[in-house]
Amino acid sequence: MKRLVLLGPPGAGKGTQAVKIAARYEIPYISTGDILRRNIKEGTALGKKAQEYMDHGELVPDDLVIALVEDRLTWEDCNNGFLLDGFPRTIYQAESFDKYLAQKDMKLSVVLNIRVPEEILLPRIIGRRVCKTCGATYHVSSMPPKAEGVCDLCGGELHQRADDAEETVLNRFKVYQAQTAPLIDYYETADEIAHIDGAASQDAVFDAIVDILGA
Ligand code: AP5
Ligand code: MG
């Protein structure tokens, strides 16, 4: 049973690794960013509340995200574990999540902290392209699709995320440093964290994660 959290700055490769981890360990992949983006696309009440924050690279208010995650974790597919990407993202969210887990008599297996120096994050994000249909992630130079603008997996159209404009990305880095990086110490204190060199190749990063998680 794996109950996992992926931590790391924007562009660290959380989404890229999450897809592989979820497949390998047969656990649902839960990305708060993806869920919020889907709500924006569908024009739900949650999407309307979240859009302004996301467009500026700010965090969505804690209570909205906490409610979203707590609801998602009640789905049956989480009975055998889960992989969270992008949550918790503030100390308040982490404390609230700890209370939730304790109430359910659950414990995290480990928090995987993907570390990448900031200077290589920006080119990764600026070059990222995402499939509008299935969400698969590409990069214009390091991981290009076979045909430009077209998803290898489903043939869907690739696009750039609304918050991947340079100015917004720089704000997301600031927000990460101020509000999310303190979680590293938080989980270090709880002895629940493992660090991974995210500057390595995608395969090397995945191998390092499997080494930590076991077969
Ligand atoms: P979210 O969607 O979580 O974005 P993020 O944390 O900024 O992270 P990214 O998705 O940009 O990066 P990633 O680490 O997934 O990298 P990826 O694998 O794509 O959040 C978006 C927004 O939602 C937030 O700003 C906030 O507003 C809101 N939100 C979400 N959760 C919230 C919460 N809990 N509380 C409040 N607000 C919340 O990789 C990036 C690129 O690099 C790709 O092109 C990829 O191909 C390439 N790449 C990946 N790995 C490698 C490698 N090893 N070598 C070379 N290239 C690589
Ligand atoms: Mg992501």
Side-chain angles (χ1 to χ4, degrees), residues 14-15 29 37 85 128 161:
K14 301 182 297 294
Y29 164 36
R37 279 185 287 278
D85 161 8
R128 170 168 53 195
R161 250 168 59 178

Side-chain angles (χ1 to χ4, degrees), residues 113-189:
N113 179 37
I114 306 184
R115 294 199 271 212
V116 181
E118 195 163 313
E119 59 274 17
I120 66 172
L121 292 173
L122 187 63
R124 277 191 188 183
I125 299 181
I126 299 294
R128 170 168 53 195
R129 299 292 181 273
V130 182
C131 176
K132 275 187 176 175
T133 310
C134 77
T137 301
Y138 298 86
H139 189 278
V140 288
S141 51
S142 70
M143 219 195 129
K146 291 191 184 96
E148 198 186 321
V150 181
C151 180
D152 291 350
L153 301 178
C154 75
E157 187 190 340
L158 302 186
H159 78 133
Q160 208 169 0
R161 250 168 59 178
D163 61 346
D164 278 355
E166 184 164 341
E167 199 182 315
T168 314
V169 175
L170 294 176
N171 192 46
R172 283 160 56 201
F173 289 156
K174 275 194 206 144
V175 168
Y176 169 80
Q177 284 305 337
Q179 302 194 55
T180 307
L183 290 181
I184 298 171
D185 278 349
Y186 179 89
Y187 285 116
E188 202 85 69
T189 307

Side-chain angles (χ1 to χ4, degrees), residues 51-148:
Q51 178 154 25
E52 182 79 9
Y53 298 98
M54 291 179 73
D55 282 351
H56 291 93
E58 296 292 331
L59 295 184
V60 172
D62 284 334
D63 292 337
L64 290 179
V65 184
I66 291 167
L68 175 168
V69 171
E70 290 189 356
D71 172 67
R72 180 63 184 82
L73 291 177
T74 62
W75 294 21
E76 211 182 328
D77 62 352
C78 294
N79 287 347
N80 292 317
F82 52 78
L83 170 61
L84 283 166
D85 161 8
F87 179 91
R89 221 172 175 110
T90 62
I91 294 285
Y92 182 83
Q93 289 179 21
E95 287 173 347
S96 153
F97 188 43
D98 275 349
K99 282 185 206 142
Y100 172 87
L101 290 171
Q103 266 169 23
K104 305 267 170 192
D105 215 9
M106 291 197 279
K107 217 181 160 314
L108 287 178
S109 309
V110 68
V111 173
L112 298 165
N113 179 37
I114 306 184
R115 294 199 271 212
V116 181
E118 195 163 313
E119 59 274 17
I120 66 172
L121 292 173
L122 187 63
R124 277 191 188 183
I125 299 181
I126 299 294
R128 170 168 53 195
R129 299 292 181 273
V130 182
C131 176
K132 275 187 176 175
T133 310
C134 77
T137 301
Y138 298 86
H139 189 278
V140 288
S141 51
S142 70
M143 219 195 129
K146 291 191 184 96
E148 198 186 321

